Amino acid sequence: MKKLLTATCLSALMASAAHAETLTLVEVITSPARTETLESIVARFEEANPGTDVEIISLPWGEAFQKFATMVSAGNIPDVVEMPDSWVSLYANNGMLESLEPYLADWEYTDDLTDRALELGREVDGTAYMLPYGFYLRAMFYNKNLLEAAGISEPPATLAEFTEASAKISELDGKYGYCLRGGAGGLNGWLMYGADMAGSNVFFEEDGTSTANQEGWVEGFQWLIDLYQNGYAPKDSVNWGFNEIVAGFYSGTCAFLDQDPDALIAIAEHMDESDYGVTTMPKGPSGKTFPTIGYAGWSMMSASENKDLAWKLIATLEGPEGNVAWNKRTGALPVQKAAEEDPFYDSPQFAGWFEELNDPDAVPTVMPTYLEEFGFFKDSLSISTSQQALLGEITAQEMADEWADYLTKAQKKHLAK
Amino acid sequence: MTDAVNNRARKPLAKRASAFLEPYLYSAPALFLIAAVILVPLVVGISYAFRDIQLLNPFSGGFIGLDHFQALAGDKAFRRALGNTLWWTGASVFLQFVLGLILALLLDKPFYGRGLVQALVFLPWAVPTFLAGLNWAWLFNPVIGPLPHWFHALGLMAEPENILSDPALAMWGPIAANVWWGIPFFAITMLAALQSIPRDLYEAAAIDGAGPVQRFLSITLPFLAPTMAITILLRTVWIANFADLIVVMTSGGPANRTQIVASYIFTQAFRKLDFGYASAIALVLLVLLLAYALLIILLRQTLLNKG
């Protein structure tokens, strides 16, 4: 009843405001600096389209998922939304996102997008329900001073060397090898090291059975558990999220950090450029490594009443000018080929990522974000079970079995569609 | 008397009906609003507990009877959360109450600058919980915060470690933040009750030779008892339902050691988007809290009757 009331009020409001050509845009990975950049790009759009007015709603990332879900189910639906990879399937499979294919077909810049951008945008049903604006690829930050103090000349290239280096650094007083992320957002690490040991990033068999509890993967999980239990990561890190691992790294508490380019922003503020480097993630026994690649982009809601204008806004955000300006702020790797010419990406820090991108043995890995159940798995189930494993309450095998059980059900449900 | 009764019986029916209805009609708007704002959502929420409600899934919504409750009975995470809720609520309320009462007794004595001290003491109450949680989380972090190093220096810890990552101690982090944040509430209410006690009682007791402890036990405590009962009841219900600090500081970790029923409901509703199951858990919590409230009210009645 209350839903009905708000929906009618809202539609009445929308009807009366339709003359002023108002678009609503929701950003979900919010920071003050990002909002400022977004406002400046949107201001350019408003100038180019006189008589339009874009209302920006900024949701803090920590509560964005539930806030946006509540907004949408209450009928308060925006025209354009910033879409993280892990939400696409949920909204696309419930018919709430507009396919961008017809618009991409006549867009002048479609050919200038990197192949990966289109490939990832079409992750659900081979249809572009979102257009990525940038990639978050994991690479290894290392603290040059700590490595030197522990007598290590080169950053580790393999998991075995990584363990060895972490052990040496942990002998220093109050220092540790790895900035382990045991809390929110820690799933990437588990899946990367699992895949490294398994030598494959295939998450499911043909029939939908999860590979998570197969031997190689469990070895990878065990490798990370051992690293923690041997004291090569801070004891506290069982609870660490993004802010804690980044603070742990720039305060010199731990020497290795796997992170995306956006962590550069915080780290560059606190550390001298000469004190740290970025290199390819360490490789497993098969000689390959599987850094996770995440992405976020812009989507149009199918309930939008002004789709052509909404696409114009997305095109402004995704065009060469808007995309480079936006990614300089977000720290993600841009989707426009033209961006690679930009001097901003010429810095030594970015060299680490481009090197990794060009390394045939570093296989960018997309987590199975197309599963509707993935959000809960990533944000809740995997965290509590992996913390139990780190604390020695359950074994790596028990954790892997629980994961495989949940993921198999989700994948089979997905295949049955 | 009999005349009056006969008179009333002879009034026409319409008049009697309107006389009977009159007070109800006056209060109808208010009753209607209360029903619309409280009862309807309550009934709808309770009905969710017996239905399969998945937010964003248009095909869900069917009645499934007691399935959620069956699942709940075998849910280990829920049982742990229930135990954690008792610990979290008990420790928080007890410490807030004791420290709040001591603070109120101290502030009850006039001294120079009391107004300023009172204002400062009540400051935590004005801090948004989200901010309080973040601040305390960083205070406990050995990389940034001072607390672990102080504990270490005092010999309480072998190493300056973060208690939030120690499964055995993690709950004390949010409890500490909650106590700091909640003391002023008890202090304010107790202080108000203390100041309403007639001062001449104390003077008379002192003349009769009662010491400070005796005065506290036979004058202060009986006067405060009703306020204590009500505030403790209210705070217990609030704190049992209050997951903000826990969500901000530990999000239920490590390994579910700080997951309370309220944060578990949040996880089920907004991480799994399973409103049906979340409502079933909420219903169980509601029943438990109602039982608790009845118990306190009974206790208070018996105490009052005894007095």
Side-chain angles (χ1 to χ4, degrees):
Chain A
M1 181 68 210
K2 262 198 345 203
K3 267 189 203 173
L4 262 180
L5 277 177
T6 35
T8 35
C9 289
L10 275 167
S11 50
L13 276 174
M14 281 174 183
S16 64
H19 303 298
E21 299 283 20
T22 306
L23 286 179
T24 323
L25 178 147
V26 172
E27 64 161 334
V28 297
I29 311 176
T30 305
S31 73
R34 281 172 88 124
T35 307
E36 204 178 302
T37 311
L38 186 63
E39 279 167 353
S40 72
I41 301 173
V42 164
R44 255 180 281 160
F45 168 80
E46 285 172 341
E47 262 168 48
N49 299 278
T52 52
D53 181 26
V54 181
E55 186 198 349
I56 299 177
I57 300 171
S58 306
L59 303 177
W61 173 242
E63 43 198 274
F65 182 67
Q66 64 263 25
K67 280 231 164 105
F68 189 68
T70 315
M71 255 172 86
V72 168
S73 63
N76 184 0
I77 302 176
D79 297 278
V80 176
V81 60
E82 181 179 8
M83 186 54 65
D85 50 9
S86 50
W87 299 9
V88 183
S89 67
L90 183 66
Y91 287 97
N93 289 327
N94 284 309
M96 292 182 172
L97 301 182
E98 188 70 16
S99 162
L100 299 177
E101 296 292 351
Y103 302 101
L104 285 169
D106 347 325
W107 192 38
E108 57 181 310
Y109 295 115
T110 303
D111 292 340
D112 297 343
L113 293 168
T114 54
D115 297 346
R116 207 172 277 285
L118 287 169
E119 177 197 327
L120 293 174
R122 292 178 174 138
E123 188 73 5
V124 177
D125 296 341
T127 312
Y129 286 113
M130 62 107 78
L131 188 53
Y133 57 64
F135 308 122
Y136 298 93
L137 178 69
R138 282 292 152 101
M140 185 68 74
F141 287 73
Y142 59 96
N143 182 321
K144 291 180 179 171
N145 304 337
L146 282 179
L147 257 66
E148 203 178 317
I152 304 161
S153 53
E154 285 290 313
T158 66
L159 290 183
E161 285 174 20
F162 186 85
T163 308
E164 200 184 329
S166 297
K168 278 187 187 160
I169 294 163
S170 303
E171 281 169 20
L172 303 170
D173 189 33
K175 305 291 180 199
Y176 299 91
Y178 184 39
C179 304
L180 174 84
R181 188 167 179 174
L187 181 63
N188 297 58
W190 292 97
L191 294 183
M192 278 191 286
Y193 303 121
D196 287 356
M197 282 291 185
S200 150
N201 63 355
V202 175
F203 293 111
F204 298 102
E205 308 280 6
E206 290 283 310
D207 68 348
T209 310
S210 163
T211 53
N213 57 349
Q214 291 175 4
E215 202 180 336
W217 287 84
V218 179
E219 265 174 57
F221 301 153
Q222 190 61 54
W223 176 84
L224 192 56
I225 294 167
D226 288 344
L227 201 73
Y228 178 77
Q229 292 184 345
N230 290 333
Y232 303 158
K235 194 176 166 198
D236 188 20
S237 60
V238 64
N239 250 348
W240 280 9
F242 177 82
N243 292 325
E244 288 86 358
I245 51 172
V246 170
F249 183 76
Y250 68 62
S251 65
T253 306
C254 39
F256 300 114
L257 164 77
D258 65 87
Q259 253 313 323
D260 307 324
D262 55 329
L264 269 176
I265 299 171
I267 290 170
E269 263 176 34
H270 295 269
M271 286 177 97
D272 254 2
E273 241 179 71
S274 56
D275 289 343
Y276 67 98
V278 176
T279 184
T280 305
M281 291 293 292
K283 289 170 178 159
S286 68
K288 284 185 187 300
T289 182
F290 300 92
T292 51
I293 191 165
Y295 52 98
W298 300 103
S299 281
M300 192 193 307
M301 302 299 287
S302 48
S304 167
E305 293 183 0
N306 211 332
K307 293 198 170 75
D308 288 331
L309 197 63
W311 166 254
K312 267 192 178 168
L313 175 58
I314 293 178
T316 309
L317 291 161
E318 294 273 5
E321 208 179 318
N323 188 240
V324 172
W326 175 245
N327 283 310
K328 277 182 185 173
R329 177 59 65 202
T330 63
L333 304 167
V335 292
Q336 289 281 347
K337 287 175 191 162
E340 284 169 37
E341 319 290 300
D342 196 284
F344 179 83
Y345 293 102
D346 220 13
S347 70
Q349 295 115 321
F350 278 102
W353 271 284
F354 289 121
E355 204 177 296
E356 188 174 60
L357 273 171
N358 296 327
D359 182 344
D361 288 327
V363 186
T365 297
V366 180
M367 298 197 287
T369 48
Y370 57 85
L371 295 173
E372 277 185 35
E373 288 83 356
F374 187 75
F376 177 72
F377 176 71
K378 175 172 163 287
D379 292 330
S380 186
L381 183 99
S382 68
I383 294 173
S384 55
T385 46
S386 62
Q387 287 179 332
Q388 285 174 319
L390 288 173
L391 296 167
E393 293 173 12
I394 56 174
T395 63
Q397 185 69 49
E398 282 169 332
M399 175 183 102
D401 287 339
E402 205 166 332
W403 289 16
D405 185 46
Y406 185 84
L407 291 172
T408 300
K409 276 186 202 145
Q411 175 74 357
K412 290 204 161 160
K413 185 177 138 190
H414 172 76
L415 291 176
K417 269 187 185 154
Chain B
M1 182 72 206
T2 47
D3 277 354
V5 173
N6 291 340
N7 270 346
R8 203 182 312 164
R10 274 202 298 275
K11 271 187 188 165
L13 183 72
K15 236 193 163 121
R16 263 191 302 145
S18 67
F20 170 78
L21 279 176
E22 193 179 17
Y24 293 96
L25 287 171
Y26 283 129
S27 51
L31 287 175
F32 175 77
L33 272 179
I34 289 173
V37 174
I38 296 176
L39 282 179
V40 173
L42 185 71
V43 171
V44 170
I46 290 175
S47 82
Y48 279 5
F50 303 96
R51 290 163 64 189
D52 169 33
I53 303 269
Q54 308 273 350
L55 194 72
L56 296 179
N57 181 351
F59 303 110
S60 68
F63 274 90
I64 52 165
L66 295 174
D67 284 12
H68 285 318
F69 295 92
Q70 260 170 345
L72 203 55
D75 188 341
K76 277 208 292 276
F78 171 70
R79 271 206 294 279
R80 168 163 271 179
L82 211 53
N84 285 341
T85 305
L86 285 175
W87 180 16
W88 152 254
T89 313
S92 299
V93 173
F94 177 78
L95 289 171
Q96 281 183 9
F97 170 71
V98 171
L99 296 170
L101 180 61
I102 291 170
L103 193 61
L105 289 170
L106 288 174
L107 289 173
D108 194 33
K109 305 268 175 290
F111 58 89
Y112 181 73
R114 181 166 72 156
L116 182 69
V117 174
Q118 271 186 10
L120 285 178
V121 159
F122 297 150
L123 210 55
W125 191 238
V127 175
T129 45
F130 190 77
L131 200 64
L134 279 178
N135 275 330
W136 278 90
W138 284 110
L139 283 173
F140 282 119
N141 184 321
V143 175
I144 307 271
L147 289 179
H149 302 282
W150 293 349
F151 292 144
H152 177 58
L154 288 169
L156 295 171
M157 277 186 183
E159 288 282 320
E161 277 166 2
N162 190 338
I163 62 165
L164 296 178
S165 57
D166 185 327
L169 296 174
M171 189 55 109
W172 290 105
I175 287 175
N178 194 6
V179 169
W180 173 84
W181 188 76
I183 287 175
F185 171 82
F186 276 108
I188 295 168
T189 47
M190 295 293 158
L191 191 59
L194 279 173
Q195 285 173 343
S196 68
I197 300 174
R199 298 284 144 179
D200 48 355
L201 282 181
Y202 287 107
E203 285 162 23
I207 291 164
D208 287 343
V213 176
Q214 257 186 309
R215 286 203 296 264
F216 175 78
L217 288 177
S218 36
I219 302 171
T220 314
L221 217 49
F223 268 96
L224 284 185
T227 314
M228 283 180 186
I230 285 295
T231 47
I232 289 177
L233 169 72
L234 281 176
R235 285 303 291 171
T236 309
V237 174
W238 282 342
I239 289 175
N241 278 316
F242 175 63
D244 307 26
L245 283 173
I246 289 183
V247 169
V248 172
M249 288 175 75
T250 62
S251 42
N256 279 337
R257 285 310 169 83
T258 55
Q259 188 84 278
I260 63 167
V261 177
S263 60
Y264 191 56
I265 291 172
F266 176 88
T267 304
Q268 291 296 328
F270 290 112
R271 293 272 176 269
K272 221 174 177 172
L273 300 182
D274 188 343
F275 272 55
Y277 194 55
S279 301
I281 307 169
L283 193 60
V284 172
L285 185 63
L286 180 74
V287 169
L288 290 174
L289 288 173
L290 277 177
Y292 166 82
L294 281 174
L295 200 75
I296 290 270
I297 289 166
L298 280 176
L299 195 73
R300 191 168 163 240
Q301 293 296 354
T302 45
L303 280 178
L304 280 179
N305 293 342
K306 223 174 64 181

